[in-house]
Every structure is written in structure tokens, then in C-alpha cells.
Amino acid sequence: MRACRNRRPRSEAGFTLMELLVALTLMAMLMTAMLGGLRLGARVWEASGDRLEANDRLAAVRGFLRQRLEDASPASETDGEATSRPLFQGEPSKLRLASSMPASLGQGLFLMELSLRSHEDGDGTKDLVLRWRSWPDIVDGVEERALLDDVAGLKLGYFSRAEGERVGRWRDSWPDQRLMPELVRIDLQFPANDPRRWQPLIVSPMIDEWYDTTF
């Protein structure tokens, strides 16, 4: 009888070794799952941040190019034979024009060229590059800046109506024309695995007639 009175009830007994092992295993599995979720969330957050940054960069470049084309000047220059030549020269993958630049880069007109520059490592991708200098006087020399990197292709188009035509058409080039094109289209292609997307940028120069600004 005395032995029965000194024995503790089963409800007051401690955890067994097996119960502790099971509890520790469950905690380890729960912590592993939580850590995996945190890592996945961090990767999703980083990827979302990269996409937002890339989209913001595309929007900034589109706005910059739109302003340069809208402000394009119908100016001309003379060569060694005193022949007047329009500064606006359009090619399928290169555009040369005179226009303004943001105030932080200087005042007045600038002669600029938009084209692609191949990577030195030869991986097949290119950079969208803008080169510019003050015009007609060269003050600081030619400057260059990459607007976008890892570009697969650049395609330019020029819309106009020839004399007597009621309906205009897109042209691949605009060489030595005495009038500005009615519309300019800039289309960029990115590599197949690149998430960036570029909708064709179509801009109408604010001045579509040529006047005498020959230097």
C-alpha cells in the first residue's frame, strides 16, 4: 500500500526519449520549410525588383528618344564643295540628326547618332548607343553613352508621302531628303530569353519642313 501511495500519476511523468525525438524532428522540418519559403520569397522579390528596374529603364529611354525626335532640327551643313546637306540622315539601323539635349548636358543644338555597338566579347548581343557633340561648333568633342545593353537588333523606319501620293508608306532609309519624315519608328529586338519587351516607338517630328539653317 505504501508503494502505491508514493508512485506519481502517469499524467505527471516527463516526455519519453521517443517523444522528444519526434518533436525535434517536426521542428527541424518546420524550420526547413520556413527557410525555403524565405529563400523563395527573396528570389521572387529580387526578380520583381529587376523587372521593375528594367521597365523603368525602358520607359526612360523611350521618353528620351521621343523628345530628341520631336525636337529634331531641319538643319543643313555644307561640305567642301559648298553643297548643302541635310543633317537628318536615316538608315535601316542608324539615325543621324540635330536636336536638343537635356539641360544638364548643355544648351543649343547637338549633332547626334543613334546606332548599335557590338560587344567586345563577341557574344552576339549589342548595346544601343547614342553619340553626340555640340553643333555647329565642337566644344567638348564627341561623347558616347549606352542607353540599353544586350540588344539583339535595331530597326528604323521613316514614313512619308511622296508628291502626288494620297497614302504614305514606310521606308527603310531617309537619305538627303529636303523634308523631314512625317513619322519615325524605332523598333528594338531583345534576345529570346530576355524578359524585356519593346513596343515600336513612333514619333512625329514637330517640324516637318526644311528651312535655311546651313552652316
Side-chain angles (χ1 to χ4, degrees):
M1 295 296 292
R2 183 178 298 174
C4 292
R5 284 197 300 271
N6 293 335
R7 182 178 300 172
R8 293 182 178 180
R10 183 174 181 82
S11 60
E12 298 180 3
F15 293 105
T16 64
L17 179 60
M18 181 60 68
E19 290 173 337
L20 287 174
L21 290 176
V22 171
L24 290 174
T25 301
L26 292 175
M27 289 181 62
M29 294 174 62
L30 180 60
M31 293 180 65
T32 301
M34 292 177 62
L35 182 59
L38 288 174
R39 289 178 176 174
L40 178 61
R43 288 196 295 268
V44 171
W45 180 272
E46 183 178 358
S48 299
D50 292 342
R51 285 196 296 269
L52 288 174
E53 183 178 356
N55 290 335
D56 289 344
R57 182 65 181 272
L58 287 179
V61 170
R62 291 175 66 90
F64 175 83
L65 294 177
R66 177 181 297 276
Q67 191 64 50
R68 305 288 74 75
L69 287 170
E70 289 181 349
D71 292 347
S73 172
S76 302
E77 63 181 354
T78 56
D79 55 21
E81 299 179 355
T83 300
S84 177
R85 180 186 182 189
L87 290 177
F88 192 99
Q89 300 285 323
E91 300 180 20
S93 59
K94 181 171 26 176
L95 175 61
R96 178 176 178 261
L97 73 158
S99 183
S100 65
M101 289 290 276
S104 60
L105 297 176
Q107 301 292 332
L109 280 179
F110 292 82
L111 183 60
M112 57 191 69
E113 180 183 282
L114 182 69
S115 62
L116 293 181
R117 179 186 62 193
S118 299
H119 286 177
E120 295 180 357
D121 54 10
D123 60 355
T125 58
K126 304 174 182 179
D127 294 333
L128 180 66
V129 174
L130 183 72
R131 301 178 181 90
W132 73 90
R133 66 171 176 84
S134 58
W135 186 86
D137 299 322
I138 301 177
V139 178
D140 298 321
V142 178
E143 298 189 49
E144 179 179 300
R145 181 172 299 177
L147 302 180
L148 292 172
D149 55 3
D150 297 332
V151 178
L154 168 65
K155 184 177 181 182
L156 300 168
Y158 313 92
F159 182 87
S160 69
R161 288 172 291 181
E163 186 176 355
E165 289 184 347
R166 298 185 59 185
V167 179
R169 62 184 178 91
W170 286 101
R171 309 170 192 272
D172 294 332
S173 61
W174 194 264
D176 293 329
Q177 299 289 336
R178 301 304 302 175
L179 297 176
M180 299 280 282
E182 297 178 38
L183 298 171
V184 179
R185 182 183 63 212
I186 301 177
D187 193 13
L188 292 177
Q189 296 84 41
F190 295 103
N193 59 347
D194 196 313
R196 294 175 297 176
R197 295 293 180 268
W198 177 278
Q199 295 296 328
L201 176 63
I202 300 177
V203 184
S204 174
M206 297 180 67
I207 301 177
D208 58 1
E209 296 183 359
W210 221 274
Y211 55 86
D212 188 10
T213 55
T214 302
F215 288 84

